[in-house]
C-alpha cells in the first residue's frame, strides 16, 4: 500500500512526476535473453508480484489523473554502503563482506546462474533522467548494463580483490530463483540517453575499497 499512498499524495498535492523503483524480478523465468520491456511479466515471488502491481498503479494514475509516472526495472544494484545483513541485500555485498573477513560464502544452486550487475551511480543517473527527461513519462525502463556474469565467476573476482583463499560452499537452489538475468537497455538508451559508465571491474574495485575499510 505504500506506493499507492505515495501516488495519491502526489496527485492531491500537484506533484509533477513520480519515479518508481520496480525490479527485473517481474520477468520471472522467461527464457528470452536479454530481457526487454515488451516481454509479458511472469512474477514468481511475492516481491515480484508487488513490484508488478506498483507498475499497474503508476499506469492508472498516469491515465486517469495525468500524473506523470516512470517505472525503472532495476537489475542487480550494488555499491558501497549496501548492508550485507539486510534481507534485501544483494549477493555482491555479501561476497564483499565475506572476502574482507577471509570467509567462505554460501551460494545457492550450482552458481551458474547469471546476473546483470549495475553500479549504484549508474542507477542514480537513470533516476535523474527518469525525473527530468521529457520522453520518460508513461514508460517502463530497464536499468542494467546489458552485460552479465555467473555467480561462481563473481565470487572469484571478489575473492581476488580481498586476497581471499576460501572456496564457496553450495546449497540447494532456492524456489523461484532465476537462472539467467540480462537487461536489454536499448529503450532507456534511445529515449533517455542512459549509458552506464561503470564496468563491473571498476565498480567492484570501488565497492570493495569501502568494505575493506568498514568491515569488522
Amino acid at each position: 500500500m505504500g506506493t499507492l499512498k505515495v501516488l495519491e499524495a502526489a496527485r492531491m498535492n500537484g506533484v509533477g512526476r513520480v519515479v518508481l523503483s520496480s525490479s527485473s524480478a517481474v520477468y520471472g523465468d522467461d527464457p528470452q535473453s536479454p530481457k526487454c520491456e515488451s516481454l509479458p511479466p511472469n512474477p514468481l515471488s511475492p516481491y515480484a508480484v508487488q513490484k508488478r502491481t506498483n507498475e499497474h498503479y503508476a499506469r492508472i494514475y498516469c491515465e486517469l489523473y495525468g500524473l506523470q509516472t516512470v517505472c525503472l526495472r532495476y537489475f542487480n544494484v550494488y555499491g558501497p554502503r549496501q548492508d550485507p545483513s539486510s534481507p534485501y541485500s544483494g549477493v555482491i555485498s555479501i561476497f564483499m563482506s565475506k572476502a574482507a573477513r577471509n570467509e567462505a560464502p554460501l551460494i545457492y544452486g550450482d552458481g551458474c546462474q547469471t546476473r546483470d550487475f549495475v553500479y549504484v551511480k549508474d542507477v542514480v543517473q537513470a533516476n535523474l533522467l527518469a525525473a527530468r527527461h521529457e520522453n520518460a513519462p508513461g514508460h517502463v525502463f530497464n536499468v542494467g548494463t546489458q552485460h552479465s556474469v555467473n555467480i561462481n565467476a563473481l565470487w572469484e573476482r571478489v575473492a581476488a580483490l580481498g586476497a581471499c583463499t576460501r572456496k564457496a560452499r553450495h546449497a540447494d537452489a532456492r524456489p523461484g530463483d532465476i537462472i539467467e538475468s540480462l537487461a536489454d537497455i536499448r529503450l532507456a538508451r534511445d529515449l533517455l540517453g542512459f549509458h552506464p559508465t561503470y564496468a563491473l571491474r571498476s565498480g567492484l574495485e570501488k565497492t570493495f575499497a569501502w568494505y575493506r575499510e568498514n568491515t569488522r
Side-chain angles (χ1 to χ4, degrees):
M1 296 298 292
T3 296
L4 183 57
K5 290 179 179 179
V6 168
L7 291 167
E8 180 61 12
R11 180 185 74 85
M12 295 186 67
N13 288 278
V15 170
R17 185 179 300 183
V18 176
V19 180
L20 287 90
S21 300
S22 188
S23 171
S24 60
V26 302
Y27 293 117
D29 58 357
D30 191 299
Q32 178 173 317
S33 185
K35 304 292 192 293
C36 63
E37 294 86 348
S38 60
L39 283 176
N42 183 34
L44 298 177
S45 67
Y47 170 81
V49 169
Q50 290 184 23
K51 288 298 187 182
R52 180 56 178 158
T53 301
N54 291 343
E55 291 181 357
H56 284 306
Y57 282 138
R59 175 182 56 80
I60 289 170
Y61 268 75
C62 184
E63 293 176 356
L64 291 184
Y65 307 119
L67 174 64
Q68 294 184 4
T69 59
V70 190
C71 297
L72 300 181
R73 289 177 178 168
Y74 301 156
F75 278 66
N76 291 75
V77 183
Y78 72 100
R81 296 189 293 276
Q82 192 174 31
D83 182 1
S85 66
S86 166
Y88 296 101
S89 62
V91 65
I92 286 182
S93 65
I94 297 171
F95 280 4
M96 293 282 176
S97 178
K98 294 293 186 182
R101 295 187 174 98
N102 197 32
E103 296 175 355
L106 179 65
I107 294 176
Y108 292 96
D110 60 9
C112 293
Q113 58 268 42
T114 62
R115 296 292 182 268
D116 186 334
F117 293 101
V118 56
Y119 190 62
V120 64
K121 287 190 176 182
D122 284 326
V123 176
V124 171
Q125 177 201 159
N127 275 269
L128 292 175
L129 289 168
R132 298 170 177 170
H133 204 290
E134 61 181 5
N135 293 336
H139 287 286
V140 175
F141 296 101
N142 287 336
V143 178
T145 66
Q146 210 154 305
H147 298 282
S148 63
V149 63
N150 75 51
I151 302 303
N152 290 326
L154 175 68
W155 169 243
E156 291 176 3
R157 292 192 187 193
V158 174
L161 288 173
C164 177
T165 58
R166 301 299 184 92
K167 299 294 184 181
R169 297 176 292 117
H170 289 264
D172 292 342
R174 293 176 293 190
D177 199 15
I178 308 304
I179 300 301
E180 186 172 356
S181 182
L182 176 64
D184 184 333
I185 59 171
R186 288 177 296 176
L187 186 65
R189 181 194 64 202
D190 295 345
L191 291 187
L192 303 181
F194 172 64
H195 295 281
T197 58
Y198 289 86
L200 182 61
R201 178 178 178 178
S202 61
L204 289 177
E205 289 172 351
K206 290 179 179 295
T207 303
F208 189 75
W210 184 88
Y211 279 91
R212 183 168 47 214
E213 294 296 322
N214 292 276
T215 296
R216 295 182 177 86

